[in-house]
């Protein structure tokens, strides 16, 4: 196994830890257990940093997620999965690049916390405000929101059809851990709902030129909680399942560039 594969696997483990922590904290809040709260990847980094060996863990998370992001950006640009250069191919590859870039910002945050003493924080509203202030920035925000909504619905479509990510060894999973596919679909569905709500909020913020209407993970979870605690509980359980799926994805990832 090459060092590239090891770094990508570390990235999946890092993602798994972050999503699992977000799900656990939200579930504890939804079901009235102590220590629960609504958080996002930035908040998850703060929580991990406060634990024993937290600094080392955050460094590993940062390195892993940055390596994960770099690998998938390279894979998409080089068309390593032969998705093609047409509209369909470039749309799929563009989604991969956008997703990797978003995760990459989490990796940058993680390393900045350790080496520059910066405070991890959700930058959704801040980034939206900065984007709206540049020429045509509000329209770019709308396009980003539309892209996130499309990605969310594409993931929901994959779940509905009983599919799985194209970088996981499905045959091996079916032999060794068939339950993981169900976890992955439930978790991916929950995360996709959050993505659709986030993307819709960005579109609305762009059209109205109101950065305060842009929503991150914590804002969307707060909306779920306002509907009913059981709604929040269901989404939280889904995020926990997604975290477990990502942790196991590290074992079953199928890379095309080594």
């Amino acid at each position: 196994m090459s060092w590239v594969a090891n770094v990508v696997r570390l990235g999946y483990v890092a993602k798994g830890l972050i999503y699992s922590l977000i799900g656990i904290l939200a579930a504890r809040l939804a079901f009235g257990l102590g220590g629960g709260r609504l958080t996002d990847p930035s908040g998850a980094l703060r929580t991990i940093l406060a634990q024993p060996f937290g600094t080392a863990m955050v460094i590993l998370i940062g390195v892993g997620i940055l390596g994960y992001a770099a690998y998938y950006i390279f894979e998409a640009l080089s068309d390593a999965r032969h998705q093609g250069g047409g509209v369909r191919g470039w749309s799929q590859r563009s989604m991969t690049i956008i997703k990797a870039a978003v995760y990459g910002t989490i990796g940058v945050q993680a390393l900045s916390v350790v080496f520059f003493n910066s405070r991890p924080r959700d930058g959704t509203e801040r980034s939206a405000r900065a984007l709206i202030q540049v020429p045509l920035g509000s329209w770019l925000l709308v396009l980003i929101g539309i892209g996130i909504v499309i990605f969310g619905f594409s993931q929901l479509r994959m779940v509905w059809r009983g599919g799985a990510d194209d970088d996981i060894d499905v045959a091996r999973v079916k032999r060794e851990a068939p339950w993981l596919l169900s976890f992955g679909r439930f978790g991916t569905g929950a995360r996709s709902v959050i993505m659709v709500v986030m993307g819709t909020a960005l579109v609305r913020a762009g059209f109205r030129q109101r950065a305060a209407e842009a929503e991150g993970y914590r804002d969307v979870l707060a909306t779920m909680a306002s509907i009913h605690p059981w709604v929040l509980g269901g989404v939280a359980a889904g995020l926990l399942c997604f975290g477990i799926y990502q942790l196991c994805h590290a074992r079953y990832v199928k890379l095309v560039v080594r």
Side-chain angles (χ1 to χ4, degrees):
M1 184 187 302
S2 71
W3 67 269
V4 174
N6 286 330
V7 172
V8 173
R9 291 176 193 275
L10 179 60
Y12 273 109
V13 171
K15 288 173 60 182
L17 290 174
I18 288 173
Y19 279 108
S20 295
L21 186 55
I22 294 173
I24 289 170
L25 292 174
R28 293 184 69 87
L29 179 65
F31 300 125
L33 303 175
R37 67 179 186 275
L38 303 180
T39 191
D40 50 35
S42 299
L45 287 176
R46 290 195 296 271
T47 301
I48 294 170
L49 190 63
Q51 307 307 309
F53 306 105
T55 299
M57 292 175 65
V58 170
I59 290 174
L60 289 174
I61 287 172
V63 171
I65 291 184
L66 283 176
Y68 165 95
Y71 170 81
Y72 281 102
I73 289 173
F74 173 78
E75 186 183 274
L77 291 175
S78 64
D79 194 18
R81 294 190 183 273
H82 306 292
Q83 293 171 316
V87 174
R88 180 183 176 85
W90 268 112
S91 63
Q92 292 175 332
R93 292 160 65 187
S94 297
M95 288 298 175
T96 299
I97 292 171
I98 292 171
K99 181 177 73 170
V102 170
Y103 279 118
T105 62
I106 300 174
V108 170
Q109 274 195 28
L111 296 183
S112 296
V113 168
V114 175
F115 295 110
F116 301 104
N117 278 330
S118 65
R119 184 172 181 270
R121 55 184 176 176
D122 178 21
T124 305
E125 181 180 338
R126 186 176 69 255
S127 299
R129 179 172 289 108
L131 196 56
I132 288 174
Q133 291 175 352
V134 304
L136 300 178
S138 59
W139 289 107
L140 180 57
L141 186 63
V142 169
L143 291 176
I144 292 172
I146 291 173
I148 292 174
V149 170
I150 292 173
F151 175 74
F153 276 118
S154 70
Q155 291 284 282
L156 286 172
R157 181 170 175 263
M158 180 190 74
V159 170
W160 179 260
R161 293 187 168 188
D165 295 314
D166 58 3
D167 64 343
I168 190 168
D169 192 340
V170 175
R172 187 181 170 199
V173 171
K174 286 182 176 179
R175 289 195 309 269
E176 300 179 6
W179 56 269
L180 181 60
L181 296 176
S182 298
F183 265 57
R185 287 165 189 150
F186 178 47
T188 299
R191 191 195 62 153
S192 299
V193 170
I194 292 176
M195 299 296 288
V196 170
V197 176
M198 285 175 58
T200 302
L202 289 179
V203 172
R204 185 172 61 246
F207 274 127
R208 297 180 179 179
Q209 297 188 347
R210 296 177 183 172
E213 296 188 15
E215 296 184 355
Y217 262 84
R218 184 170 51 218
D219 302 308
V220 174
L221 290 174
T223 301
M224 302 292 179
S226 68
I227 297 172
H228 196 280
W230 284 100
V231 175
L232 175 61
V235 174
L239 289 176
L240 177 57
C241 285
F242 188 75
I244 294 171
Y245 174 65
Q246 293 299 296
L247 288 169
C248 296
H249 202 147
R251 173 178 173 83
Y252 297 107
V253 66
K254 183 173 60 177
L255 303 180
V256 293
V257 178
R258 291 178 179 273

